[in-house]
């Protein structure tokens, strides 16, 4: 651990002032090294009081997606987040992990902004600096590909659980994978899988998640503004990004353990409870063109596919790779 991180850790632990001499003694550093580390922390946005005869005290921490800030809220996880890399800017957190050939299972990459964030169907995901949580998790599950379709749904449930823990309000889920608040999209989720050509064995699965935290309407393009919201807009108050990121990693770790154990019953129940489409009339929009259909969304099956009923009472199952779902009159309604 660097001297900067060691000093930050000690200042977090102490509510009272810590003298430069005491910091030097505990860490085996010179007084000059302590001062340089404190100065570096201040330049990163940490408010550190200094009083003659008393020393230093941490007054406030920045709302930053850095490893020290996320880990200050992060409990023990079995896999997800053991390796955590945080960047000021990336083209895409998914792209970063896909190019890291030997990244261990559960590696997480975060970025304060993305220049080429992506959603499903190669749509752009707007990722303004300092406004959202943009992170990806690389998983190496020892499972066949046909066991992995639920991963995106598990991520959606994990986002809802993390937001509920930190904010006290639980988003809904627009099938198949969009957490929503106030009828608008709060989060984007993109899953990308790599298979070994000769055997079909899963090499890696990269799960990208972008949560809108502090955006105002002006941070979205006009077309996105119609369907997107942020926690700030929905709740009317700021939300700590590192606290929410840590809660999300803990929830994803639990979901990954359930996937490996093959017991998804609790996640299916949570998904059905959170799905805002069930019991409503929806539009089915085929990918690649074709006529829109109107149907009643009646259930989510064991693979998290949507069961719909047409006007003649016939039921069928649609999958996320086949259609997009919208409400009859808007994004969810």
């Amino acid at each position: 651990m660097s001297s900067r991180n060691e000093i930050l850790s000690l200042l977090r632990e102490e509510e009272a002032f810590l003298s430069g001499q005491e910091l030097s003694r505990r860490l085996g550093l010179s007084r000059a090294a302590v001062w340089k580390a404190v100065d570096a922390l201040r330049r990163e946005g940490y408010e550190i009081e200094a009083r003659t005869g008393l020393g230093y005290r941490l007054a406030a921490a920045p709302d930053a997606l850095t490893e020290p800030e996320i880990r200050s809220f992060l409990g023990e996880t079995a896999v997800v987040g053991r390796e955590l890399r945080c960047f000021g800017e990336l083209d895409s957190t998914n792209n970063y992990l896909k190019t890291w050939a030997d990244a261990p299972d559960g590696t997480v990459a975060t970025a304060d902004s993305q220049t080429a964030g992506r959603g499903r169907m190669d749509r752009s995901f707007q990722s303004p600096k300092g406004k959202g949580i943009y992170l990806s998790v690389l998983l190496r599950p020892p499972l066949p590909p046909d066991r992995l379709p639920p991963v995106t749904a598990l991520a959606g449930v994990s986002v809802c659980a993390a937001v509920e823990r930190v904010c006290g309000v639980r988003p809904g889920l627009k099938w198949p994978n969009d957490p929503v608040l106030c009828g608008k999209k709060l989060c984007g989720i993109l899953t990308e899988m790599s298979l070994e050509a000769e055997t079909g064995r899963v090499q890696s699965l990269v799960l990208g998640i972008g949560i809108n935290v502090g955006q105002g309407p002006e941070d979205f393009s006009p077309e996105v503004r119609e369907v997107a919201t942020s926690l700030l807009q929905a709740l009317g108050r700021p939300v700590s990004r590192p606290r929410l990121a840590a809660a999300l990693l803990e929830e994803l770790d639990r979901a990954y353990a359930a996937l490996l154990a093959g017991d998804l019953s609790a996640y299916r129940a949570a998904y059905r409870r959170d799905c805002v489409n069930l019991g409503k009339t929806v539009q089915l929009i085929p990918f690649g063109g074709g006529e829109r259909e109107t149907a009643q969304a009646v259930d989510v099956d064991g693979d998290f596919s949507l069961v719909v009923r047409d006007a003649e009472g016939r039921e069928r199952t649609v999958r996320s790779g086949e259609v997009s779902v919208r409400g009859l009159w808007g994004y969810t309604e």
Side-chain angles (χ1 to χ4, degrees):
M1 184 183 292
S2 69
S3 58
R4 167 208 169 284
N5 289 344
E6 289 176 322
I7 287 175
L8 179 58
S9 179
L10 288 177
L11 291 176
R12 285 190 193 281
E13 293 171 4
E14 295 283 344
E15 292 187 8
F17 284 86
L18 275 174
S19 69
Q21 181 178 357
E22 179 65 11
L23 289 169
S24 297
R25 184 188 66 79
R26 291 196 195 184
L27 300 177
L29 299 172
S30 68
R31 294 288 293 274
V34 169
W35 184 88
K36 286 182 180 179
V38 169
D39 183 59
L41 290 168
R42 284 173 170 160
R43 283 187 275 108
E44 292 173 17
Y46 292 89
E47 295 180 25
I48 299 176
E49 287 186 63
R51 293 191 185 178
T52 303
L54 293 176
Y56 302 104
R57 184 177 74 87
L58 180 63
D63 183 50
L65 287 181
T66 60
E67 183 172 1
E69 281 306 297
I70 294 173
R71 290 209 183 278
S72 72
F73 298 108
L74 186 61
E76 290 293 324
T77 58
V79 178
V80 175
R82 288 186 300 182
E83 177 77 26
L84 174 60
R85 296 196 176 185
C86 302
F87 300 88
E89 182 179 276
L90 289 173
D91 62 345
S92 158
T93 54
N94 266 33
N95 286 350
Y96 174 79
L97 288 181
K98 284 162 63 179
T99 59
W100 186 0
D102 58 349
D105 192 22
T107 296
V108 174
T110 76
D112 198 47
S113 68
Q114 296 181 117
T115 59
R118 292 178 293 113
R120 294 176 70 218
M121 308 302 293
D122 263 343
R123 298 186 184 100
S124 171
F125 186 86
Q126 295 171 13
S127 314
K129 181 177 178 61
K131 301 287 187 176
I133 293 172
Y134 318 118
L135 66 79
S136 295
V137 183
L138 183 141
L139 302 174
R140 300 191 187 278
L143 300 172
D146 61 5
R147 289 272 304 277
L148 299 181
V151 166
T152 306
L154 300 184
V157 173
S158 298
V159 169
C160 292
V163 171
E164 184 177 36
R165 282 173 53 186
V166 174
C167 304
V169 60
R170 190 175 183 95
L173 284 168
K174 186 183 83 70
W175 186 88
N177 62 354
D178 287 351
V180 293
L181 269 181
C182 305
K184 290 191 172 185
K185 182 172 180 173
L186 179 69
C187 170
I189 298 172
L190 175 65
T191 305
E192 298 181 283
M193 186 164 57
S194 174
L195 301 178
E196 190 175 82
E198 292 82 1
T199 65
R201 184 180 63 86
V202 176
Q203 291 181 318
S204 66
L205 186 150
V206 177
L207 178 63
I209 298 174
I211 305 177
N212 300 328
V213 179
Q215 288 92 335
E218 69 281 359
D219 293 306
F220 298 118
S221 63
E223 64 275 13
V224 172
R225 193 178 304 148
E226 294 299 314
V227 299
T229 191
S230 69
L231 289 170
L232 177 63
Q233 291 182 66
L235 305 178
R237 56 183 170 83
V239 172
S240 165
R241 291 188 301 149
R243 183 186 293 275
L244 181 56
L248 176 58
L249 296 185
E250 292 171 0
E251 294 296 337
L252 290 171
D253 191 65
R254 294 188 185 102
Y256 190 38
L259 179 73
L260 295 179
D263 182 8
L264 302 182
S265 56
Y267 286 89
R268 291 190 184 98
Y271 191 98
R272 288 189 176 103
R273 180 191 64 216
D274 294 337
C275 185
V276 299
N277 306 109
L278 295 186
K280 296 181 180 178
T281 302
V282 298
Q283 296 182 74
L284 306 179
I285 308 170
F287 292 131
E291 291 188 11
R292 297 188 179 196
E293 299 178 64
T294 300
Q296 189 85 358
V298 296
D299 198 7
V300 173
D301 72 7
D303 292 325
F304 298 89
S305 297
L306 187 66
V307 181
V308 298
R309 182 184 300 128
D310 65 20
E312 284 71 43
R314 295 170 298 199
E315 291 188 0
R316 79 178 198 271
T317 300
V318 296
R319 292 172 173 78
S320 59
E322 301 169 350
V323 299
S324 176
V325 165
R326 286 288 183 102
L328 193 60
W329 308 110
Y331 189 64
T332 61
E333 297 299 324

